[in-house]
Amino acid sequence: MTTVALQTYSMERMTAMLFTFIEKNVRETFGQEGLALLSKGLQQFGLKDTEIIAHKATSEGEIHTLFDYIPTSINESENYPDVTSFARFAKLFAQVTKVIVDEYGIDGEKVIQKGVWDFGKKRGIGMQQRARARNQENTIEHYLENYDMERSDLFVMHDTYHPNEIEQTFVVCPLGNQWAEDGMHLYGINYCKVIDNAIAYGY
């Protein structure tokens, strides 16, 4: 039986996909006021950095809403030319989360977490389809081998398989490290609280 080779998604594509889900939930809950705050968050992150992410995501086939917030001509340089794509992901998420949570408090956290949930669920469904394409059942045994995000040595983790769950203990996480370094862990935690359960649910 032929094994299907499936590419993983870049962090730029993941960033654009996540932002699009967050934007949808912000728009539905807070309307134009919320969208204006998201625009402010992207400006604080850096529009040139946002454009780089948007172009890479589009080149990989992702349909996203980042370009809606980026002018066609940007007269600024990158804020983060030397950081990893994981760091850019973390920084963008923290900035758009901060403007929403600072304004709306717990209600803002719920909206951000709903966006993360929808993002994770879609990824999980995609991983289920990746397993199917390889003629595999979407069981625990095949979960990690069908993971859709590019992995990196920047992550250090231990995986323990139990009868009905996989326990992943992260010793080093570049996302968490970036949020801690930037003093943005109170915003980044809104991602960590939701993402793994959402992916598993979709899978």
Side-chain angles (χ1 to χ4, degrees), residues 9-67:
Y9 297 147
S10 71
M11 287 305 295
E12 288 83 3
R13 184 170 187 173
M14 289 291 183
T15 306
M17 187 192 310
L18 173 58
F19 176 82
T20 301
F21 276 112
I22 288 173
E23 191 227 33
K24 176 179 181 292
N25 282 278
V26 167
R27 182 176 66 250
E28 291 175 352
T29 306
F30 302 125
Q32 290 301 314
E33 181 183 72
L35 298 185
L37 289 171
L38 288 183
S39 180
K40 178 182 176 182
L42 290 178
Q43 290 172 38
Q44 291 174 346
F45 167 68
L47 292 180
K48 189 63 179 179
D49 300 82
T50 303
E51 183 183 55
I52 290 168
I53 292 168
H55 278 299
K56 179 71 180 295
T58 300
S59 74
E60 295 181 16
E62 186 63 30
I63 298 172
H64 58 83
T65 59
L66 280 174
F67 280 129

Side-chain angles (χ1 to χ4, degrees), residues 140-147 151 159 161 166 168:
I140 287 174
E141 291 75 20
H142 301 300
Y143 180 81
L144 291 178
E145 65 186 278
N146 286 295
Y147 207 69
R151 286 299 181 120
D159 302 325
Y161 287 80
I166 301 173
Q168 289 190 293

Side-chain angles (χ1 to χ4, degrees), residues 61-198:
E62 186 63 30
I63 298 172
H64 58 83
T65 59
L66 280 174
F67 280 129
D68 295 345
Y69 296 84
I70 307 170
T72 54
S73 179
I74 301 174
N75 297 315
E76 63 180 62
S77 56
E78 293 177 62
N79 287 337
Y80 312 109
D82 300 319
V83 305
T84 67
S85 58
F86 298 95
R88 272 207 178 103
F89 176 101
K91 286 175 175 292
L92 186 149
F93 177 79
Q95 290 295 344
V96 298
T97 297
K98 184 178 189 302
V99 292
I100 296 299
V101 172
D102 285 357
E103 179 68 25
Y104 300 112
I106 293 175
D107 289 339
E109 289 185 354
K110 289 178 180 177
V111 167
I112 294 293
Q113 290 180 22
K114 177 64 164 52
V116 175
W117 176 270
D118 293 343
F119 163 72
K121 180 182 174 183
K122 179 182 178 180
R123 288 179 55 195
I125 292 170
M127 288 165 56
Q128 178 191 119
Q129 293 180 356
R130 292 165 75 89
R132 175 66 183 270
R134 290 169 165 158
N135 296 302
Q136 298 172 337
E137 296 291 331
N138 58 314
T139 59
I140 287 174
E141 291 75 20
H142 301 300
Y143 180 81
L144 291 178
E145 65 186 278
N146 286 295
Y147 207 69
D148 60 340
M149 186 180 85
E150 63 181 3
R151 286 299 181 120
S152 164
D153 291 339
L154 296 173
F155 288 92
V156 179
M157 70 197 78
H158 304 299
D159 302 325
T160 305
Y161 287 80
H162 300 288
N164 294 310
E165 66 179 9
I166 301 173
E167 179 183 349
Q168 289 190 293
T169 303
F170 286 84
V171 179
V172 178
C173 172
L175 308 182
N177 288 352
Q178 190 63 58
W179 291 322
E181 181 180 321
D182 294 343
M184 300 289 270
H185 50 285
L186 293 178
Y187 303 102
I189 196 67
N190 288 283
Y191 182 81
C192 303
K193 283 181 176 179
V194 177
I195 188 60
D196 290 314
N197 287 341

